[in-house]
């Protein structure tokens, strides 16, 4: 049923339930809105960096720590018309404060389970396969099948070398080291570092200086 008032709003009802209502500021929709080929929801905005959004996705569910607003990607199966979820980008309450948030990137594994892969928390920490990153980049190792490999750097052709460059000042003030530092906390606090004199050192105790 449609109700319209001159110079006023237009209301669309289904089974006596209001589904669509126009107003001077736009259109309010109750329930699921399926739109093919969305281009813009809001135009002429000053949106640079953290400016006004073009598209806003809202979840009005009472947030108990699991009320995410998500953008889901769904495609057809390989040779049929059945559709499957492939990936999702979600934003939710981060737990640090009532206004904080985190962003989660998920993909579907071979069992059909939507699984979080990358997470950015309210402090800007990024976790890959890590749900609680405690530094700017935290990466959980892979499976035993690939020898727990985290990263693979390789050149594509002869003469095209692969490298990992690390620029740093002091790697940490607590151990008085200023060189490249490696620590294995589960094996007797084993440490290995290269000091300012380019010598490689190993120890199970805190070094007194970079060249100790």
């Amino acid at each position: 049923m449609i109700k319209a008032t001159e110079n006023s709003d237009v209301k669309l009802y289904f089974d006596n339930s209001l589904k669509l209502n126009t107003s001077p500021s736009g259109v309010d929709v109750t329930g699921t809105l399926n739109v093919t080929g969305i281009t813009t929801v809001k135009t002429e905005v000053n949106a640079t960096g953290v400016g006004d959004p073009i598209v806003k996705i809202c979840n009005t569910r009472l947030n108990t720590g699991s009320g995410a607003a998500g953008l889901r990607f769904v495609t057809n199966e390989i040779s049929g018309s059945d559709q499957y979820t492939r990936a999702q980008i979600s934003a939710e309450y981060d737990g640090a404060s009532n206004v904080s948030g985190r962003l989660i990137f998920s993909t579907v594994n071979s069992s059909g389970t939507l699984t979080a892969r990358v997470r950015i928390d309210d402090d800007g920490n990024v976790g890959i396969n890590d749900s609680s990153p405690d530094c700017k980049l935290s990466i959980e190792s892979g499976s035993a099948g690939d020898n727990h490999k985290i990263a693979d750097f390789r050149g594509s052709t002869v003469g095209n070398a692969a490298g990992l460059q690390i620029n740093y000042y002091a790697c940490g003030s607590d151990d008085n080291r200023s060189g490249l530092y490696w620590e294995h906390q589960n094996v007797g606090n084993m440490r290995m570092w290269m000091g300012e004199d380019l010598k490689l050192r190993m120890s199970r105790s805190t070094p007194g200086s970079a060249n100790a």
Side-chain angles (χ1 to χ4, degrees), residues 119-199:
R119 180 181 303 247
I120 306 174
D121 69 13
D122 67 316
D123 284 328
N125 295 334
V126 179
I128 300 178
N129 288 337
D130 183 358
S131 61
S132 301
D134 58 359
C135 58
K136 290 307 175 186
L137 177 60
S138 178
I139 305 175
E140 287 288 335
S141 63
S143 65
D146 59 9
N147 199 29
H148 300 283
K149 180 168 59 178
I150 293 177
D152 191 352
F153 301 91
R154 65 181 70 186
S156 57
T157 59
V158 176
N160 185 9
L164 174 63
Q165 180 173 318
I166 301 175
N167 297 319
Y168 60 86
Y169 290 95
C171 290
S173 59
D174 56 333
D175 284 347
N176 298 309
R177 74 258 186 189
S178 58
L180 189 61
Y181 187 83
W182 177 83
E183 180 176 354
H184 194 321
Q185 293 184 341
N186 292 331
V187 185
N189 288 328
M190 182 170 59
R191 295 171 167 84
M192 182 172 66
W193 71 97
M194 182 178 290
E196 298 167 344
D197 56 1
L198 303 183
K199 292 182 179 180

Side-chain angles (χ1 to χ4, degrees), residues 7-198:
N7 296 325
S8 184
D9 57 359
V10 176
K11 293 181 171 63
L12 175 64
Y13 291 82
F14 178 80
D15 195 20
N16 292 322
S17 177
L18 180 63
K19 297 300 182 183
L20 184 146
N21 184 30
T22 65
S23 67
S25 61
V27 179
D28 297 324
V29 178
T30 302
T32 301
L33 174 64
N34 296 315
V35 180
T36 301
I38 293 179
T39 54
T40 57
V41 174
K42 189 176 183 182
T43 60
E44 298 183 4
V45 296
N46 182 17
T48 56
V50 294
D52 290 337
I54 297 295
V55 178
K56 182 186 290 186
I57 301 174
C58 301
N59 183 352
T60 59
R61 175 184 179 274
L62 181 62
N63 197 334
T64 58
S66 59
L71 177 63
R72 181 168 294 191
F73 301 89
V74 180
T75 67
N76 280 17
E77 60 182 343
I78 295 175
S79 59
S81 59
D82 291 342
Q83 293 195 322
Y84 297 94
T85 296
R86 306 300 182 182
Q88 181 166 307
I89 302 173
S90 305
E92 63 183 20
Y93 165 68
D94 195 37
S97 72
N98 194 44
V99 297
S100 65
R102 58 179 171 230
L103 193 63
I104 302 171
F105 297 83
S106 305
T107 61
V108 176
N109 61 22
S110 58
S111 299
T113 302
L114 189 64
T115 305
R117 307 297 185 184
V118 179
R119 180 181 303 247
I120 306 174
D121 69 13
D122 67 316
D123 284 328
N125 295 334
V126 179
I128 300 178
N129 288 337
D130 183 358
S131 61
S132 301
D134 58 359
C135 58
K136 290 307 175 186
L137 177 60
S138 178
I139 305 175
E140 287 288 335
S141 63
S143 65
D146 59 9
N147 199 29
H148 300 283
K149 180 168 59 178
I150 293 177
D152 191 352
F153 301 91
R154 65 181 70 186
S156 57
T157 59
V158 176
N160 185 9
L164 174 63
Q165 180 173 318
I166 301 175
N167 297 319
Y168 60 86
Y169 290 95
C171 290
S173 59
D174 56 333
D175 284 347
N176 298 309
R177 74 258 186 189
S178 58
L180 189 61
Y181 187 83
W182 177 83
E183 180 176 354
H184 194 321
Q185 293 184 341
N186 292 331
V187 185
N189 288 328
M190 182 170 59
R191 295 171 167 84
M192 182 172 66
W193 71 97
M194 182 178 290
E196 298 167 344
D197 56 1
L198 303 183

